[in-house]
Amino acid sequence: MPTIYAEARSIREQKSGTWERVTTVKRQPEGEGLTFGWSIVNQIDAQNITENQTNGNFQQFQVSTQSTQPEMTQVIIKVTDRTYRKAPKQVTGEMGKASGRAMERKKNKDFLSLFTTFATTNSPGTGQPLSHGHIHAAVVNAESNTTEPAMSVVSTVLHGFQLYDLQIEQLAPIGTYAIPAGMTEDVFRNGFKGKVGGSNVFVDGNITLTSTPDANGATLAREGVYSVMGMTLKRETDRDIYFGGGADVISLTDEYAFAENKSGTAGTTQVFCYRHLSDATAPAS
């Protein structure tokens, strides 16, 4: 009797896709070159004058510029006709889905890789646990920055192992004190969810763990990162009749860039985005 496989599944993706929720998405118009740029106009000052005074203190505008260049990314697969004939339909049905997930994972990892370049003002450091204080401080530094305050929603993106340190911090009283209904009791039952210091906290399992192990999370205002889309995701198909008795070629292509939006007279001051490099040891107890 032949062996029949009744179903198939793909390896599950990590909880991800945070870039769409925590950044400002920009569309690069066609016909405007390779780079996407934006300008920052500095502040000018007013002054007191008297009724018999001629004010010759003309203010000077200074404009700084920033830019980024979207780059293309692609996934391409080739499936032979023989594969379609012989492989279970449950398996071939997963192939197209895998391509789409690969593109989404690549885009999200490219966004997460930007975290290592953020300001280190509120970073615990290698091997050190993340605490609520680091996030609170990052929020205040963004919203009350003396160079330019953030005026958009602030979010925090962490690996699950970093979030676990926040959860343990909240559960510290258990075993020592009686725990009435409230935040600690809720975290004990459901795990940590929600906000810290006004910042929406998201878990992203695609954050890379180092060999230490550490992870780079971040707290950022939405205006702190521009997600520049150079094109709409494009799907194309082709036939290769010379390969393996004939095959379908399927590709997905995208073009994008992620760039930190900085401030200051020269447009180089980091005010909206803060890195959280901290311990990411897998929880044991």
Side-chain angles (χ1 to χ4, degrees), residues 130-162:
L130 181 71
S131 77
H132 71 279
H134 297 107
I135 298 176
H136 275 274
V139 173
V140 173
N141 277 323
E143 294 182 339
S144 300
N145 197 281
T146 56
T147 300
E148 182 182 4
M151 304 297 287
S152 56
V153 175
V154 177
S155 300
T156 299
V157 182
L158 303 172
H159 190 277
F161 294 167
Q162 293 177 295

PDB file of all heavy atoms in Angstrom, residues 130-162:
ATOM      1  N   LEU A 130      16.651  44.280  30.438  1.00  0.00           N
ATOM      2  CA  LEU A 130      15.872  45.470  30.132  1.00  0.00           C
ATOM      3  C   LEU A 130      14.872  45.718  31.256  1.00  0.00           C
ATOM      4  O   LEU A 130      14.274  44.781  31.786  1.00  0.00           O
ATOM      5  CB  LEU A 130      15.129  45.269  28.808  1.00  0.00           C
ATOM      6  CG  LEU A 130      14.275  46.439  28.311  1.00  0.00           C
ATOM      7  CD1 LEU A 130      15.164  47.587  27.854  1.00  0.00           C
ATOM      8  CD2 LEU A 130      13.368  45.987  27.172  1.00  0.00           C
ATOM      9  N   SER A 131      14.688  46.969  31.623  1.00  0.00           N
ATOM     10  CA  SER A 131      13.711  47.314  32.658  1.00  0.00           C
ATOM     11  C   SER A 131      12.759  48.378  32.129  1.00  0.00           C
ATOM     12  O   SER A 131      12.996  48.992  31.081  1.00  0.00           O
ATOM     13  CB  SER A 131      14.410  47.837  33.919  1.00  0.00           C
ATOM     14  OG  SER A 131      14.844  49.174  33.726  1.00  0.00           O
ATOM     15  N   HIS A 132      11.676  48.576  32.883  1.00  0.00           N
ATOM     16  CA  HIS A 132      10.704  49.589  32.482  1.00  0.00           C
ATOM     17  C   HIS A 132      11.343  50.970  32.409  1.00  0.00           C
ATOM     18  O   HIS A 132      10.938  51.815  31.604  1.00  0.00           O
ATOM     19  CB  HIS A 132       9.535  49.618  33.469  1.00  0.00           C
ATOM     20  CG  HIS A 132       9.912  50.187  34.813  1.00  0.00           C
ATOM     21  ND1 HIS A 132      10.561  49.451  35.787  1.00  0.00           N
ATOM     22  CD2 HIS A 132       9.746  51.435  35.334  1.00  0.00           C
ATOM     23  CE1 HIS A 132      10.762  50.211  36.844  1.00  0.00           C
ATOM     24  NE2 HIS A 132      10.286  51.413  36.600  1.00  0.00           N
ATOM     25  N   GLY A 133      12.359  51.210  33.243  1.00  0.00           N
ATOM     26  CA  GLY A 133      12.994  52.522  33.276  1.00  0.00           C
ATOM     27  C   GLY A 133      13.643  52.906  31.958  1.00  0.00           C
ATOM     28  O   GLY A 133      13.636  54.086  31.573  1.00  0.00           O
ATOM     29  N   HIS A 134      14.212  51.933  31.245  1.00  0.00           N
ATOM     30  CA  HIS A 134      14.844  52.235  29.961  1.00  0.00           C
ATOM     31  C   HIS A 134      13.808  52.704  28.943  1.00  0.00           C
ATOM     32  O   HIS A 134      14.073  53.619  28.151  1.00  0.00           O
ATOM     33  CB  HIS A 134      15.584  50.997  29.439  1.00  0.00           C
ATOM     34  CG  HIS A 134      16.705  50.544  30.320  1.00  0.00           C
ATOM     35  ND1 HIS A 134      16.618  49.411  31.097  1.00  0.00           N
ATOM     36  CD2 HIS A 134      17.923  51.086  30.560  1.00  0.00           C
ATOM     37  CE1 HIS A 134      17.748  49.268  31.770  1.00  0.00           C
ATOM     38  NE2 HIS A 134      18.554  50.262  31.469  1.00  0.00           N
ATOM     39  N   ILE A 135      12.638  52.078  28.964  1.00  0.00           N
ATOM     40  CA  ILE A 135      11.589  52.474  28.023  1.00  0.00           C
ATOM     41  C   ILE A 135      10.993  53.817  28.422  1.00  0.00           C
ATOM     42  O   ILE A 135      10.804  54.706  27.579  1.00  0.00           O
ATOM     43  CB  ILE A 135      10.496  51.388  27.954  1.00  0.00           C
ATOM     44  CG1 ILE A 135      11.096  50.079  27.428  1.00  0.00           C
ATOM     45  CG2 ILE A 135       9.345  51.845  27.065  1.00  0.00           C
ATOM     46  CD1 ILE A 135      10.133  48.910  27.407  1.00  0.00           C
ATOM     47  N   HIS A 136      10.706  53.998  29.717  1.00  0.00           N
ATOM     48  CA  HIS A 136      10.188  55.280  30.195  1.00  0.00           C
ATOM     49  C   HIS A 136      11.130  56.414  29.797  1.00  0.00           C
ATOM     50  O   HIS A 136      10.687  57.463  29.300  1.00  0.00           O
ATOM     51  CB  HIS A 136      10.032  55.251  31.714  1.00  0.00           C
ATOM     52  CG  HIS A 136       8.745  54.670  32.189  1.00  0.00           C
ATOM     53  ND1 HIS A 136       7.580  55.389  32.325  1.00  0.00           N
ATOM     54  CD2 HIS A 136       8.432  53.404  32.575  1.00  0.00           C
ATOM     55  CE1 HIS A 136       6.612  54.618  32.772  1.00  0.00           C
ATOM     56  NE2 HIS A 136       7.102  53.398  32.929  1.00  0.00           N
ATOM     57  N   ALA A 137      12.419  56.205  30.028  1.00  0.00           N
ATOM     58  CA  ALA A 137      13.404  57.253  29.720  1.00  0.00           C
ATOM     59  C   ALA A 137      13.458  57.545  28.234  1.00  0.00           C
ATOM     60  O   ALA A 137      13.578  58.710  27.815  1.00  0.00           O
ATOM     61  CB  ALA A 137      14.779  56.831  30.235  1.00  0.00           C
ATOM     62  N   ALA A 138      13.373  56.503  27.409  1.00  0.00           N
ATOM     63  CA  ALA A 138      13.404  56.703  25.956  1.00  0.00           C
ATOM     64  C   ALA A 138      12.199  57.498  25.484  1.00  0.00           C
ATOM     65  O   ALA A 138      12.310  58.369  24.607  1.00  0.00           O
ATOM     66  CB  ALA A 138      13.476  55.355  25.248  1.00  0.00           C
ATOM     67  N   VAL A 139      11.033  57.210  26.067  1.00  0.00           N
ATOM     68  CA  VAL A 139       9.827  57.952  25.706  1.00  0.00           C
ATOM     69  C   VAL A 139       9.980  59.428  26.051  1.00  0.00           C
ATOM     70  O   VAL A 139       9.671  60.321  25.238  1.00  0.00           O
ATOM     71  CB  VAL A 139       8.587  57.361  26.411  1.00  0.00           C
ATOM     72  CG1 VAL A 139       7.364  58.248  26.178  1.00  0.00           C
ATOM     73  CG2 VAL A 139       8.315  55.950  25.906  1.00  0.00           C
ATOM     74  N   VAL A 140      10.466  59.703  27.244  1.00  0.00           N
ATOM     75  CA  VAL A 140      10.642  61.092  27.680  1.00  0.00           C
ATOM     76  C   VAL A 140      11.692  61.789  26.816  1.00  0.00           C
ATOM     77  O   VAL A 140      11.525  62.953  26.424  1.00  0.00           O
ATOM     78  CB  VAL A 140      11.029  61.152  29.167  1.00  0.00           C
ATOM     79  CG1 VAL A 140      11.379  62.579  29.576  1.00  0.00           C
ATOM     80  CG2 VAL A 140       9.885  60.627  30.030  1.00  0.00           C
ATOM     81  N   ASN A 141      12.790  61.099  26.504  1.00  0.00           N
ATOM     82  CA  ASN A 141      13.819  61.695  25.662  1.00  0.00           C
ATOM     83  C   ASN A 141      13.296  62.036  24.274  1.00  0.00           C
ATOM     84  O   ASN A 141      13.731  63.024  23.668  1.00  0.00           O
ATOM     85  CB  ASN A 141      15.016  60.745  25.538  1.00  0.00           C
ATOM     86  CG  ASN A 141      15.960  60.851  26.718  1.00  0.00           C
ATOM     87  OD1 ASN A 141      16.185  61.935  27.234  1.00  0.00           O
ATOM     88  ND2 ASN A 141      16.485  59.732  27.162  1.00  0.00           N
ATOM     89  N   ALA A 142      12.375  61.227  23.755  1.00  0.00           N
ATOM     90  CA  ALA A 142      11.811  61.505  22.439  1.00  0.00           C
ATOM     91  C   ALA A 142      10.794  62.644  22.499  1.00  0.00           C
ATOM     92  O   ALA A 142      10.831  63.571  21.683  1.00  0.00           O
ATOM     93  CB  ALA A 142      11.161  60.247  21.870  1.00  0.00           C
ATOM     94  N   GLU A 143       9.901  62.592  23.492  1.00  0.00           N
ATOM     95  CA  GLU A 143       8.810  63.564  23.538  1.00  0.00           C
ATOM     96  C   GLU A 143       9.207  64.907  24.127  1.00  0.00           C
ATOM     97  O   GLU A 143       8.505  65.909  23.899  1.00  0.00           O
ATOM     98  CB  GLU A 143       7.653  62.972  24.342  1.00  0.00           C
ATOM     99  CG  GLU A 143       7.000  61.761  23.684  1.00  0.00           C
ATOM    100  CD  GLU A 143       5.830  61.209  24.455  1.00  0.00           C
ATOM    101  OE1 GLU A 143       5.746  61.477  25.688  1.00  0.00           O
ATOM    102  OE2 GLU A 143       4.993  60.523  23.848  1.00  0.00           O
ATOM    103  N   SER A 144      10.299  64.960  24.890  1.00  0.00           N
ATOM    104  CA  SER A 144      10.727  66.224  25.515  1.00  0.00           C
ATOM    105  C   SER A 144      12.127  66.619  25.069  1.00  0.00           C
ATOM    106  O   SER A 144      12.817  67.355  25.774  1.00  0.00           O
ATOM    107  CB  SER A 144      10.686  66.093  27.039  1.00  0.00           C
ATOM    108  OG  SER A 144       9.391  65.790  27.492  1.00  0.00           O
ATOM    109  N   ASN A 145      12.540  66.147  23.909  1.00  0.00           N
ATOM    110  CA  ASN A 145      13.890  66.446  23.439  1.00  0.00           C
ATOM    111  C   ASN A 145      14.077  67.941  23.236  1.00  0.00           C
ATOM    112  O   ASN A 145      13.210  68.617  22.665  1.00  0.00           O
ATOM    113  CB  ASN A 145      14.146  65.697  22.131  1.00  0.00           C
ATOM    114  CG  ASN A 145      15.629  65.630  21.809  1.00  0.00           C
ATOM    115  OD1 ASN A 145      16.217  66.581  21.329  1.00  0.00           O
ATOM    116  ND2 ASN A 145      16.226  64.478  22.098  1.00  0.00           N
ATOM    117  N   THR A 146      15.198  68.459  23.714  1.00  0.00           N
ATOM    118  CA  THR A 146      15.428  69.905  23.641  1.00  0.00           C
ATOM    119  C   THR A 146      15.765  70.373  22.231  1.00  0.00           C
ATOM    120  O   THR A 146      15.621  71.559  21.930  1.00  0.00           O
ATOM    121  CB  THR A 146      16.576  70.302  24.590  1.00  0.00           C
ATOM    122  OG1 THR A 146      17.750  69.545  24.270  1.00  0.00           O
ATOM    123  CG2 THR A 146      16.184  70.043  26.038  1.00  0.00           C
ATOM    124  N   THR A 147      16.189  69.458  21.363  1.00  0.00           N
ATOM    125  CA  THR A 147      16.456  69.830  19.977  1.00  0.00           C
ATOM    126  C   THR A 147      15.164  69.886  19.174  1.00  0.00           C
ATOM    127  O   THR A 147      14.888  70.864  18.468  1.00  0.00           O
ATOM    128  CB  THR A 147      17.416  68.824  19.313  1.00  0.00           C
ATOM    129  OG1 THR A 147      18.648  68.810  20.035  1.00  0.00           O
ATOM    130  CG2 THR A 147      17.692  69.196  17.870  1.00  0.00           C
ATOM    131  N   GLU A 148      14.358  68.851  19.295  1.00  0.00           N
ATOM    132  CA  GLU A 148      13.049  68.794  18.635  1.00  0.00           C
ATOM    133  C   GLU A 148      12.231  67.685  19.283  1.00  0.00           C
ATOM    134  O   GLU A 148      12.680  66.536  19.307  1.00  0.00           O
ATOM    135  CB  GLU A 148      13.198  68.525  17.132  1.00  0.00           C
ATOM    136  CG  GLU A 148      11.871  68.499  16.392  1.00  0.00           C
ATOM    137  CD  GLU A 148      12.012  68.177  14.918  1.00  0.00           C
ATOM    138  OE1 GLU A 148      13.138  67.895  14.470  1.00  0.00           O
ATOM    139  OE2 GLU A 148      10.990  68.197  14.210  1.00  0.00           O
ATOM    140  N   PRO A 149      11.052  67.992  19.807  1.00  0.00           N
ATOM    141  CA  PRO A 149      10.248  66.951  20.466  1.00  0.00           C
ATOM    142  C   PRO A 149       9.470  66.118  19.449  1.00  0.00           C
ATOM    143  O   PRO A 149       9.033  66.620  18.413  1.00  0.00           O
ATOM    144  CB  PRO A 149       9.301  67.760  21.346  1.00  0.00           C
ATOM    145  CG  PRO A 149       9.124  69.045  20.595  1.00  0.00           C
ATOM    146  CD  PRO A 149      10.440  69.326  19.922  1.00  0.00           C
ATOM    147  N   ALA A 150       9.304  64.851  19.762  1.00  0.00           N
ATOM    148  CA  ALA A 150       8.467  63.977  18.941  1.00  0.00           C
ATOM    149  C   ALA A 150       7.008  64.341  19.161  1.00  0.00           C
ATOM    150  O   ALA A 150       6.577  64.574  20.289  1.00  0.00           O
ATOM    151  CB  ALA A 150       8.714  62.521  19.303  1.00  0.00           C
ATOM    152  N   MET A 151       6.246  64.376  18.074  1.00  0.00           N
ATOM    153  CA  MET A 151       4.830  64.729  18.151  1.00  0.00           C
ATOM    154  C   MET A 151       3.932  63.587  17.688  1.00  0.00           C
ATOM    155  O   MET A 151       2.735  63.765  17.543  1.00  0.00           O
ATOM    156  CB  MET A 151       4.562  65.975  17.294  1.00  0.00           C
ATOM    157  CG  MET A 151       5.411  67.180  17.658  1.00  0.00           C
ATOM    158  SD  MET A 151       5.114  67.792  19.329  1.00  0.00           S
ATOM    159  CE  MET A 151       3.519  68.547  19.129  1.00  0.00           C
ATOM    160  N   SER A 152       4.523  62.410  17.431  1.00  0.00           N
ATOM    161  CA  SER A 152       3.755  61.269  16.930  1.00  0.00           C
ATOM    162  C   SER A 152       3.769  60.143  17.965  1.00  0.00           C
ATOM    163  O   SER A 152       4.459  60.209  18.984  1.00  0.00           O
ATOM    164  CB  SER A 152       4.342  60.785  15.602  1.00  0.00           C
ATOM    165  OG  SER A 152       5.712  60.461  15.738  1.00  0.00           O
ATOM    166  N   VAL A 153       3.019  59.092  17.672  1.00  0.00           N
ATOM    167  CA  VAL A 153       2.907  57.948  18.577  1.00  0.00           C
ATOM    168  C   VAL A 153       4.270  57.296  18.781  1.00  0.00           C
ATOM    169  O   VAL A 153       5.044  57.115  17.835  1.00  0.00           O
ATOM    170  CB  VAL A 153       1.924  56.905  17.997  1.00  0.00           C
ATOM    171  CG1 VAL A 153       1.895  55.653  18.854  1.00  0.00           C
ATOM    172  CG2 VAL A 153       0.528  57.511  17.885  1.00  0.00           C
ATOM    173  N   VAL A 154       4.585  56.942  20.024  1.00  0.00           N
ATOM    174  CA  VAL A 154       5.846  56.285  20.357  1.00  0.00           C
ATOM    175  C   VAL A 154       5.574  54.795  20.587  1.00  0.00           C
ATOM    176  O   VAL A 154       4.600  54.425  21.248  1.00  0.00           O
ATOM    177  CB  VAL A 154       6.494  56.905  21.609  1.00  0.00           C
ATOM    178  CG1 VAL A 154       7.772  56.167  21.977  1.00  0.00           C
ATOM    179  CG2 VAL A 154       6.784  58.386  21.365  1.00  0.00           C
ATOM    180  N   SER A 155       6.435  53.954  20.027  1.00  0.00           N
ATOM    181  CA  SER A 155       6.284  52.508  20.153  1.00  0.00           C
ATOM    182  C   SER A 155       7.605  51.872  20.555  1.00  0.00           C
ATOM    183  O   SER A 155       8.682  52.441  20.327  1.00  0.00           O
ATOM    184  CB  SER A 155       5.806  51.890  18.835  1.00  0.00           C
ATOM    185  OG  SER A 155       4.566  52.425  18.442  1.00  0.00           O
ATOM    186  N   THR A 156       7.507  50.692  21.140  1.00  0.00           N
ATOM    187  CA  THR A 156       8.686  49.917  21.530  1.00  0.00           C
ATOM    188  C   THR A 156       8.595  48.545  20.873  1.00  0.00           C
ATOM    189  O   THR A 156       7.555  47.892  20.929  1.00  0.00           O
ATOM    190  CB  THR A 156       8.768  49.762  23.055  1.00  0.00           C
ATOM    191  OG1 THR A 156       8.863  51.061  23.653  1.00  0.00           O
ATOM    192  CG2 THR A 156       9.980  48.932  23.464  1.00  0.00           C
ATOM    193  N   VAL A 157       9.694  48.125  20.238  1.00  0.00           N
ATOM    194  CA  VAL A 157       9.753  46.828  19.573  1.00  0.00           C
ATOM    195  C   VAL A 157      10.842  46.001  20.255  1.00  0.00           C
ATOM    196  O   VAL A 157      11.998  46.425  20.331  1.00  0.00           O
ATOM    197  CB  VAL A 157      10.063  46.976  18.075  1.00  0.00           C
ATOM    198  CG1 VAL A 157      10.064  45.609  17.395  1.00  0.00           C
ATOM    199  CG2 VAL A 157       9.057  47.903  17.403  1.00  0.00           C
ATOM    200  N   LEU A 158      10.470  44.821  20.757  1.00  0.00           N
ATOM    201  CA  LEU A 158      11.387  43.980  21.525  1.00  0.00           C
ATOM    202  C   LEU A 158      11.309  42.531  21.067  1.00  0.00           C
ATOM    203  O   LEU A 158      10.285  42.088  20.535  1.00  0.00           O
ATOM    204  CB  LEU A 158      11.041  44.030  23.018  1.00  0.00           C
ATOM    205  CG  LEU A 158      11.022  45.397  23.710  1.00  0.00           C
ATOM    206  CD1 LEU A 158      10.464  45.245  25.123  1.00  0.00           C
ATOM    207  CD2 LEU A 158      12.412  46.018  23.740  1.00  0.00           C
ATOM    208  N   HIS A 159      12.390  41.804  21.325  1.00  0.00           N
ATOM    209  CA  HIS A 159      12.331  40.352  21.194  1.00  0.00           C
ATOM    210  C   HIS A 159      11.573  39.801  22.403  1.00  0.00           C
ATOM    211  O   HIS A 159      11.553  40.415  23.477  1.00  0.00           O
ATOM    212  CB  HIS A 159      13.739  39.760  21.138  1.00  0.00           C
ATOM    213  CG  HIS A 159      13.768  38.310  20.772  1.00  0.00           C
ATOM    214  ND1 HIS A 159      13.567  37.308  21.693  1.00  0.00           N
ATOM    215  CD2 HIS A 159      13.965  37.686  19.576  1.00  0.00           C
ATOM    216  CE1 HIS A 159      13.637  36.135  21.088  1.00  0.00           C
ATOM    217  NE2 HIS A 159      13.873  36.337  19.801  1.00  0.00           N
ATOM    218  N   GLY A 160      10.955  38.642  22.252  1.00  0.00           N
ATOM    219  CA  GLY A 160      10.192  38.055  23.346  1.00  0.00           C
ATOM    220  C   GLY A 160      11.011  37.808  24.595  1.00  0.00           C
ATOM    221  O   GLY A 160      10.504  37.902  25.716  1.00  0.00           O
ATOM    222  N   PHE A 161      12.309  37.504  24.415  1.00  0.00           N
ATOM    223  CA  PHE A 161      13.167  37.267  25.582  1.00  0.00           C
ATOM    224  C   PHE A 161      13.446  38.560  26.337  1.00  0.00           C
ATOM    225  O   PHE A 161      13.666  38.540  27.552  1.00  0.00           O
ATOM    226  CB  PHE A 161      14.489  36.632  25.139  1.00  0.00           C
ATOM    227  CG  PHE A 161      14.337  35.243  24.554  1.00  0.00           C
ATOM    228  CD1 PHE A 161      15.392  34.645  23.871  1.00  0.00           C
ATOM    229  CD2 PHE A 161      13.157  34.541  24.685  1.00  0.00           C
ATOM    230  CE1 PHE A 161      15.256  33.372  23.333  1.00  0.00           C
ATOM    231  CE2 PHE A 161      13.006  33.274  24.156  1.00  0.00           C
ATOM    232  CZ  PHE A 161      14.061  32.684  23.473  1.00  0.00           C
ATOM    233  N   GLN A 162      13.469  39.703  25.631  1.00  0.00           N
ATOM    234  CA  GLN A 162      13.599  40.992  26.307  1.00  0.00           C
ATOM    235  C   GLN A 162      12.312  41.333  27.055  1.00  0.00           C
ATOM    236  O   GLN A 162      12.353  41.829  28.188  1.00  0.00           O
ATOM    237  CB  GLN A 162      13.903  42.090  25.285  1.00  0.00           C
ATOM    238  CG  GLN A 162      15.261  41.989  24.615  1.00  0.00           C
ATOM    239  CD  GLN A 162      15.458  43.073  23.577  1.00  0.00           C
ATOM    240  OE1 GLN A 162      14.753  43.111  22.571  1.00  0.00           O
ATOM    241  NE2 GLN A 162      16.413  43.965  23.808  1.00  0.00           N
TER     242      GLN A 162
END
